[in-house]
Amino acid sequence: MRPKNLPLDLERATRAFQVRPDWYEEYWLKPKETSQPAAIKWRHSIMQLHFQLYAAMVSGLAAFIRSRIGGAI
């Protein structure tokens, strides 16, 4: 029972070490589920940081205005 695209020497090795013959296809030919690239993760974290800095700036500006006018906005 030799898979069609398994090289002959690999077939002999899998028989000698009693490895399932379809491990090659499962490992190399099955599409891998990949996570997001590092650049996208980095971009998302930078955007989140920008949003947090913007929120802090608005909050600080509101506190400054409240302190100058003596009340709530």
Side-chain angles (χ1 to χ4, degrees):
M1 182 171 155
R2 179 176 175 223
K4 293 178 182 169
N5 54 354
L6 192 64
L8 183 61
D9 57 340
L10 192 57
E11 180 192 3
R12 289 181 186 149
T14 56
R15 265 192 272 134
F17 294 106
Q18 297 180 354
V19 177
R20 290 185 334 201
D22 58 344
W23 75 269
Y24 182 81
E25 284 88 4
E26 285 182 17
Y27 185 77
W28 291 107
L29 304 178
K30 182 172 64 172
K32 295 183 179 181
E33 295 179 14
T34 57
S35 63
Q36 292 181 337
I40 292 175
K41 288 181 182 177
W42 182 78
R43 199 173 319 141
H44 282 266
S45 65
I46 292 298
M47 287 174 51
Q48 186 177 13
L49 177 64
H50 284 173
F51 178 74
Q52 290 171 348
L53 288 174
Y54 177 74
M57 182 188 68
V58 169
S59 178
L61 182 61
F64 175 75
I65 292 172
R66 273 194 304 267
S67 71
R68 290 295 175 194
I69 63 172
I73 298 176

